[in-house]
């Protein structure tokens, strides 16, 4: 088989893997939301993160690898940010549709991506992100549409996501599997007290434990594995552009599994935030090249 055809096949596999990762995450989150009536957002978060940690601990067995004290500290911060982000995001899902919550949460990484730049083009992406948020904020006619507390939780989850990226980059010296599995273990220690305080012994019913395992697989173990396949084969810019489609996929998953319908203004808000994310990703490549040439 010619080399270019092999490259095309590898790229197609990577794209399908990333799409599968986002689909699995959105389906898993939709399923997780259906558990809120029994154990609340807090209990559901605790089940998801704890089972995800157990799965990845079994896969990576991080205790077999050396770990410096400096890396352990950073991984602890990375895990705490991950746990807080998951809890805040699930709290937002109590009153905010899935696609909109993902779109609002995306503003955290977006703000981080453009925070160190002063180029005119980056302010355009900031404008798109702000426009998307303004379309969603409970102002004027939107007051009765979206819960301001839910939006606040989603924005806080965005801040947590940005911190997760920062601490994740700082933990880059550690093995990826070790950092992720230990980080999720730390995340479970952060969210378990909230889950137990809210749901108590109900979290340990056999049916909910099975459901929690399914959520952990769909929302973390499978997406993480598929993302690793995509990351090894796709350029960073292509990966970022495709990942920017996640709010739309979340909205479609919410419609299909949770019967969450969005109005035209809310779809425009999602489109605006996706445009900001894609634009920021595309221009980041040229920004890095310009820095390298300087």
């Amino acid at each position: 088989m010619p080399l270019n055809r092999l490259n095309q096949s590898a790229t197609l596999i990577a794209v399908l893997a990333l799409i599968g990762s986002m689909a699995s995450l959105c389906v898993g989150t939709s399923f997780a939301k259906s558990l809120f009536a029994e154990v609340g957002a807090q209990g559901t978060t605790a089940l998801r993160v704890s089972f995800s940690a157990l799965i990845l601990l079994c896969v990576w067995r991080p205790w077999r690898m050396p770990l410096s004290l400096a890396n352990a500290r950073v991984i602890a911060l990375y895990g705490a940010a991950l746990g807080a982000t998951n809890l805040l995001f699930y709290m937002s899902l109590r009153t905010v549709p899935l696609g909109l919550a993902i779109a609002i949460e995306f503003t955290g990484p977006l703000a981080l991506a453009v925070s160190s730049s002063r180029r005119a083009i980056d302010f355009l992406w900031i404008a798109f992100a702000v426009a998307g948020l303004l379309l969603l904020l409970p102002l004027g006619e939107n007051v009765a549409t979206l819960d301001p507390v839910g939006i606040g939780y989603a924005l806080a989850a965005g801040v947590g996501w940005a911190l997760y990226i920062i601490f994740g980059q700082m933990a880059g010296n550690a093995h990826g599997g070790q950092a992720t599995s230990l980080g999720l273990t730390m995340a479970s220690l952060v969210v378990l007290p909230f889950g137990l305080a809210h749901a108590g012994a109900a979290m340990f019913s056999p049916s909910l434990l099975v459901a929690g395992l399914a959520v952990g697989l769909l929302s973390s173990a499978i997406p993480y594995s598929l993302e690793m396949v995509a990351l090894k084969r796709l350029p960073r810019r292509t990966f970022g552009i495709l990942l920017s489609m996640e709010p739309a996929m979340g909205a479609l998953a919410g419609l299909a599994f949770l019967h969450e319908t969005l109005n035209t203004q809310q779809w425009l808000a999602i489109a605006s935030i996706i445009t900001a994310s894609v634009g920021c990703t595309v221009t980041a490549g040229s920004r890095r090249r310009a820095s390298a040439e300087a």
Side-chain angles (χ1 to χ4, degrees):
M1 183 181 291
L3 183 60
N4 62 340
R5 188 168 297 179
L6 284 172
N7 291 335
Q8 289 174 357
S9 298
T11 300
L12 178 60
I13 290 171
V15 169
L16 292 176
L18 185 55
I19 292 173
S21 170
M22 291 187 289
S24 179
L25 177 62
C26 291
V27 171
T29 305
S30 298
F31 178 50
K33 191 169 181 177
S34 69
L35 303 180
F36 284 9
E38 298 182 71
V39 290
Q42 301 93 323
T44 304
T45 308
L47 287 170
R48 173 199 170 172
V49 175
S50 299
F51 274 110
S52 300
L54 287 173
I55 292 167
L56 290 183
L57 283 172
C58 291
V59 170
W60 291 108
R61 290 176 284 177
W63 54 85
R64 300 180 306 161
M65 311 169 198
L67 181 66
S68 68
L69 181 59
N71 280 340
R73 288 171 178 165
V74 174
I75 289 172
L77 292 172
Y78 160 80
L82 179 60
T85 300
N86 275 273
L87 179 60
L88 291 165
F89 180 70
Y90 272 41
M91 292 293 284
S92 75
L93 289 180
R94 296 178 304 172
T95 54
V96 177
L98 176 58
L100 298 184
I102 294 175
I104 295 169
E105 188 188 28
F106 253 70
T107 59
L110 272 174
L112 180 63
V114 299
S115 61
S116 60
S117 178
R118 295 294 182 270
R119 300 190 315 161
I121 188 66
D122 290 319
F123 288 98
L124 175 62
W125 311 134
I126 293 172
F128 271 106
V130 170
L133 278 178
L134 288 176
L135 288 170
L136 294 176
L137 291 178
L139 305 170
E141 295 180 359
N142 277 350
V143 170
T145 305
L146 288 179
D147 172 40
V149 175
I151 291 176
Y153 276 123
L155 287 171
V159 174
W161 192 357
L163 291 173
Y164 157 80
I165 292 171
I166 292 170
F167 293 134
Q169 291 172 340
M170 292 171 62
N173 292 330
H175 183 276
Q178 182 188 49
T180 304
S181 55
L182 291 179
L184 272 168
T185 302
M186 180 64 189
S188 68
L189 295 176
V190 170
V191 301
L192 264 175
F194 293 93
L196 290 172
H198 182 83
M203 280 177 54
F204 301 104
S205 70
S207 61
L208 279 173
L209 289 176
V210 172
L213 176 60
V215 169
L217 283 168
L218 288 170
S219 300
S220 296
I222 292 175
Y224 173 76
S225 302
L226 291 175
E227 276 190 12
M228 292 302 292
V229 172
L231 278 168
K232 291 178 180 178
R233 293 171 172 83
L234 286 177
R236 184 181 299 180
R237 177 161 33 173
T238 305
F239 183 91
I241 291 171
L242 290 171
L243 191 64
S244 300
M245 300 298 109
E246 191 173 313
M249 293 190 71
L252 292 174
L255 177 62
F257 299 105
L258 301 171
H259 309 293
E260 295 176 342
T261 58
L262 305 181
N263 59 38
T264 302
Q265 182 170 317
Q266 290 166 342
W267 276 110
L268 286 173
I270 288 177
S272 185
I273 292 172
I274 287 175
T275 299
S277 183
V278 171
C280 184
T281 301
V282 170
T283 56
S286 60
R287 182 163 60 241
R288 284 192 295 268
R289 286 194 299 272
S291 298
E293 291 170 0

